[in-house]
Amino acid sequence: MGKIIDKANQYIQEHKSEVDSRYREKFHAMGPIGWINDPNGFVYYKGDYHLFYQFYPYGSVWGPMHWGHSKSKDLIHWEDLPVALAPDEPYDKDGCFSGSAVVADDQLVLMYTGFVNQDGKIKQTQCMAYSTDGITFEKSPLNPVIADSHIKGIADIADFRDPKIFVKDGRYYAVVAAKTRDSRGQILLFQSDNTQDWTFKSVLLEGTAEQGIMWECPDLFQLDGKWVLLVSPIEMKAQGHAYKNLNSTVAFIGELDWESGKLSVENYHEIDGGLDFYAPQTCLDAAGSRIMIAWMQMWQRNIPTHDLGHRWAGMMSLPRKLSVKNLRLCQEPAPQLYDYCETVKEWQGQITPDHPLEFNAITGSQQFIELNISKSYSWELRYPLQADGRASISLTYNADEQLLSLSRDSFGYAIKGLENPVLNSRSLDVSDLADADLEIEIVRDTSSVEVFINHEKTMSMTFYEKTDANRLSLRSQGKARVQKLSVSTIRVN
């Protein structure tokens, strides 16, 4: 792997200073240059959180996939590390696709998909790499460890990827994405005693025709007494306000029979109700809590930093702490975020149509906003809002329909994809929230907002403003009681 990986690392060192930092995040994981997508190998190892990711250093578009690598002690500050994997073997010559990590015998072990496209004939197999220092990795001489013979008569080797490895009762397991002959999502379960010799165990779960033509990036874990399977379906059909993006993210929650290797689903739902969230992956943190991170972009849409020649594209979401309540996967910001928040403005009282609330000249582009407000009346929060009062990001609540809507329409550089019509806003049904008030937390970094609702639901979105906007406006259609509106600066330097 020496020559190709050394070339990538040398290129990064020589060119990363040429990256335009205008829209780069301050406390979200990113690549130093080039294109990134799916998070890979998210794991806690020897006192650090390691995050790998799909990476093409040579351009701000998708290309032959490498594994980028960063680490953090607090999930807020991220340090770039050398490229971990590069496509340089016959079984991965066209890309080291997505995968995962596990700690085994004090080694950091990566499991990934080797991608080969030989004259249009695609082959995807599962491979291993090992490290004793968490920085440099050696690919297994037995690669690929899961290949054609393991899935004969079960799945097509052309759509067989994204292994998530984990340990249960002293044995290694891996869930791998596949697809049925009639183009439905399918998750396969494999087992091993040593990370090298793998056998097929079961088809863990298959999707319906409405649930997408392929499920990517599976993750399987137990949480709060239930088993949770995360998948990212391609072209899942919309259901009401859910699954509006071309590609979605879904949690299947239920019971798992380990003798048969079958997941019995009791409920499933979209994980994030925003515009930019895909391929989530989880790990256990130092305290044993389940933490999730995702790619905060979306396939088949333009990314303005590429259009503008900034030499980078893609970012990760804020890490999120997970729980399961009432058969739903609930999310809240990783608790470390609060350590960096300093309150600069705070208000409570009543707003009416004639007396809205406005905060002017909010400094910086990293804020944490808390809004506790009654569900009785409709309202609109606009932030960041430009000085002329026109363009802004908006978060709107419709009390009659109990819908929360997040929009970037007409704000900043245009983002368009294959959705028809163009999708620049999403709505989220909050009628099932038991609380009388909405407790909303908004995390804003340079070019993203992530909305957390009642410690349960989320909406994530990127944006690229043309001119700086630093006002906040809250307007109501009735006499809305605001229990709390606070703005904090997130100081991470």
Side-chain angles (χ1 to χ4, degrees), residues 32-181:
I33 191 173
W35 165 279
I36 72 167
N37 56 282
D38 306 352
N40 299 154
F42 188 31
V43 67
Y44 187 72
Y45 176 65
K46 293 185 176 180
D48 290 306
Y49 296 95
H50 286 256
L51 177 67
F52 304 83
Y53 49 86
Q54 292 288 275
F55 184 37
Y56 182 62
Y58 303 108
S60 51
V61 293
W62 189 91
M65 285 292 98
H66 299 54
W67 271 39
H69 188 191
S70 59
K71 70 176 182 177
S72 173
K73 291 202 176 288
D74 61 3
L75 297 170
I76 301 296
H77 297 85
W78 294 93
E79 175 189 349
D80 291 324
L81 294 175
V83 172
L85 298 176
D88 64 350
E89 296 289 345
Y91 52 79
D92 66 13
K93 70 180 183 67
D94 297 309
C96 298
F97 276 15
S98 288
S100 52
V102 70
V103 179
D105 299 324
D106 208 36
Q107 287 187 310
L108 186 54
V109 179
L110 306 184
M111 190 174 193
Y112 71 99
T113 295
F115 176 69
V116 175
N117 185 349
Q118 192 67 42
D119 299 324
K121 186 176 181 180
I122 292 174
K123 189 172 186 178
Q124 299 179 351
T125 57
Q126 314 318 314
C127 309
M128 310 298 301
Y130 299 84
S131 175
T132 56
D133 61 6
I135 306 295
T136 56
F137 292 83
E138 294 292 331
K139 296 177 181 177
S140 170
L142 300 179
N143 284 342
V145 297
I146 304 178
D148 310 58
S149 60
H150 293 78
I151 60 170
K152 187 176 181 179
I154 301 167
D156 187 350
I157 202 72
D159 285 295
F160 178 52
R161 56 185 177 270
D162 312 335
K164 178 65 192 291
I165 187 172
F166 60 97
V167 180
K168 182 184 183 298
D169 298 333
R171 175 172 284 180
Y172 299 97
Y173 292 90
V175 283
V176 186
K179 136 190 237 189
T180 64
R181 292 183 182 274

Side-chain angles (χ1 to χ4, degrees), residues 95-356:
C96 298
F97 276 15
S98 288
S100 52
V102 70
V103 179
D105 299 324
D106 208 36
Q107 287 187 310
L108 186 54
V109 179
L110 306 184
M111 190 174 193
Y112 71 99
T113 295
F115 176 69
V116 175
N117 185 349
Q118 192 67 42
D119 299 324
K121 186 176 181 180
I122 292 174
K123 189 172 186 178
Q124 299 179 351
T125 57
Q126 314 318 314
C127 309
M128 310 298 301
Y130 299 84
S131 175
T132 56
D133 61 6
I135 306 295
T136 56
F137 292 83
E138 294 292 331
K139 296 177 181 177
S140 170
L142 300 179
N143 284 342
V145 297
I146 304 178
D148 310 58
S149 60
H150 293 78
I151 60 170
K152 187 176 181 179
I154 301 167
D156 187 350
I157 202 72
D159 285 295
F160 178 52
R161 56 185 177 270
D162 312 335
K164 178 65 192 291
I165 187 172
F166 60 97
V167 180
K168 182 184 183 298
D169 298 333
R171 175 172 284 180
Y172 299 97
Y173 292 90
V175 283
V176 186
K179 136 190 237 189
T180 64
R181 292 183 182 274
D182 57 349
S183 294
R184 291 178 291 114
Q186 182 184 56
I187 302 301
L188 309 183
L189 180 64
F190 297 84
Q191 62 187 22
S192 172
D193 292 325
N194 56 16
T195 76
Q196 292 278 354
D197 303 302
W198 291 87
T199 58
F200 172 80
K201 180 171 178 62
S202 64
V203 176
L204 182 79
L205 188 66
E206 282 187 358
T208 65
E210 292 73 28
Q211 292 173 334
I213 62 173
M214 173 78 187
W215 288 351
E216 295 190 307
C217 302
D219 194 349
L220 180 66
F221 53 88
Q222 191 172 30
L223 183 61
D224 296 326
K226 292 294 180 181
W227 282 93
V228 180
L229 173 67
L230 304 183
V231 298
S232 295
I234 298 173
E235 297 180 18
M236 186 166 179
K237 295 187 184 304
Q239 299 177 19
H241 296 284
Y243 314 115
K244 291 286 190 179
N245 296 322
L246 193 66
N247 295 352
S248 302
T249 52
V250 181
F252 291 94
I253 300 173
E255 301 289 343
L256 206 161
D257 182 340
W258 280 95
E259 285 192 19
S260 65
K262 301 289 186 180
L263 178 66
S264 176
V265 177
E266 298 173 63
N267 186 38
Y268 74 92
H269 63 89
E270 188 175 25
I271 297 170
D272 189 278
L275 289 160
D276 296 294
F277 190 89
Y278 196 70
Q281 189 169 110
T282 73
C283 78
L284 291 175
D285 70 5
S289 298
R290 181 67 59 173
I291 304 295
M292 179 175 71
I293 196 167
W295 182 45
M296 199 162 48
Q297 300 283 174
M298 185 53 61
W299 288 112
Q300 296 180 310
R301 293 189 193 139
N302 68 298
I303 300 179
T305 52
H306 167 70
D307 301 339
L308 296 168
H310 287 191
R311 303 199 65 177
W312 69 274
M315 65 188 78
M316 299 300 172
S317 71
L318 184 73
R320 303 168 181 190
K321 183 179 177 181
L322 302 180
S323 60
V324 172
K325 301 174 185 175
N326 300 318
L327 294 177
R328 288 192 62 89
L329 187 69
C330 301
Q331 307 172 49
E332 53 191 326
Q336 293 90 332
L337 176 74
Y338 302 105
D339 295 337
Y340 299 97
C341 295
E342 298 178 9
T343 301
V344 294
K345 294 179 183 289
E346 189 165 310
W347 185 88
Q348 66 177 20
Q350 184 173 274
I351 57 173
T352 67
D354 295 329
H355 294 88

